[in-house]
Amino acid sequence: MKLWNIVLSLSVAVLFLFVLVLGARVMNMQPDDRFGGEDMQLQEVYRLYIGLNNVDNNDEVMALNEARVMIDDICLRHGCGYTSFSARGGWLDSNKNEIRERTLEYMISFASEEQITAIMDDIMATLGQTAILVERQMSMQRFYYKKQEINYPGK
């Protein structure tokens, strides 16, 4: 029994030292500077998830590409660049019916909350939607480009 207590005590000590060394390494890690860490900016990134079904009859409101062209125009009209993706979504309605629909996801950076709200209001009015799922995350970002080859606005 005494030998077991010694082995257990040594195991706890080794584990403690491992956690201590690992913690020290993590605390001393430097940011990856390959992309110009000093130029990176903490930026809000918004993701809009826009289902294409009509809430009343669960039919698709319009073709995916037609909706994408309209939403692209809305984003640009509000001064926002974007990246869009096609996705599939699913959820349960209030009667526990399974709803599955094609969804457009828009990722927008370098925009204000007011711009995002205006974009969502216009999308809902244009597509006749009752809701859009919006996600906001903080992200370190910067544009990567070769200064001698392009003249990026704002630089």
Side-chain angles (χ1 to χ4, degrees):
M1 190 65 151
K2 192 172 190 177
L3 179 61
W4 176 251
N5 288 340
I6 292 171
V7 169
L8 189 60
S9 297
L10 284 174
S11 297
V12 169
V14 168
L15 181 61
F16 175 75
L17 286 173
F18 176 76
V19 170
L20 188 64
V21 169
L22 182 63
R25 285 187 55 97
V26 168
M27 294 302 288
N28 288 326
M29 290 177 86
Q30 296 299 315
D32 186 346
D33 227 14
R34 287 179 297 176
F35 295 116
E38 69 280 353
D39 293 337
M40 298 293 277
Q41 297 176 11
L42 189 59
Q43 195 66 37
E44 290 177 324
V45 177
Y46 295 89
R47 290 184 184 267
L48 310 180
Y49 298 90
I50 305 144
L52 298 180
N53 284 10
N54 179 299
V55 72
D56 296 324
N57 58 15
N58 197 29
D59 289 332
E60 198 165 278
V61 176
M62 66 182 62
L64 183 100
N65 287 334
E66 183 182 353
R68 177 174 277 150
V69 168
M70 291 178 168
I71 297 168
D72 292 354
D73 290 344
I74 290 169
C75 289
L76 293 175
R77 189 170 54 240
H78 288 283
C80 294
Y82 59 86
T83 301
S84 69
F85 307 92
S86 299
R88 301 261 327 144
W91 49 283
L92 297 175
D93 69 9
S94 57
N95 295 323
K96 304 292 184 205
N97 296 314
E98 291 182 11
I99 308 297
R100 298 173 196 267
E101 62 186 328
R102 293 197 300 173
T103 301
L104 287 171
E105 176 188 348
Y106 276 74
M107 183 179 74
I108 302 171
S109 299
F110 303 100
S112 68
E113 192 169 324
E114 291 77 19
Q115 286 172 300
I116 297 299
T117 301
I119 288 170
M120 290 189 298
D121 287 342
D122 283 358
I123 291 170
M124 287 172 52
T126 302
L127 272 65
Q129 297 292 29
T130 57
I132 293 174
L133 175 63
V134 61
E135 175 185 354
R136 182 179 74 183
Q137 297 179 353
M138 298 304 287
S139 174
M140 294 297 289
Q141 299 181 347
R142 84 170 178 91
F143 283 97
Y144 175 79
Y145 62 96
K146 294 183 179 184
K147 294 178 183 176
Q148 69 274 17
E149 293 180 11
I150 67 168
N151 184 13
Y152 174 70
K155 288 284 184 188

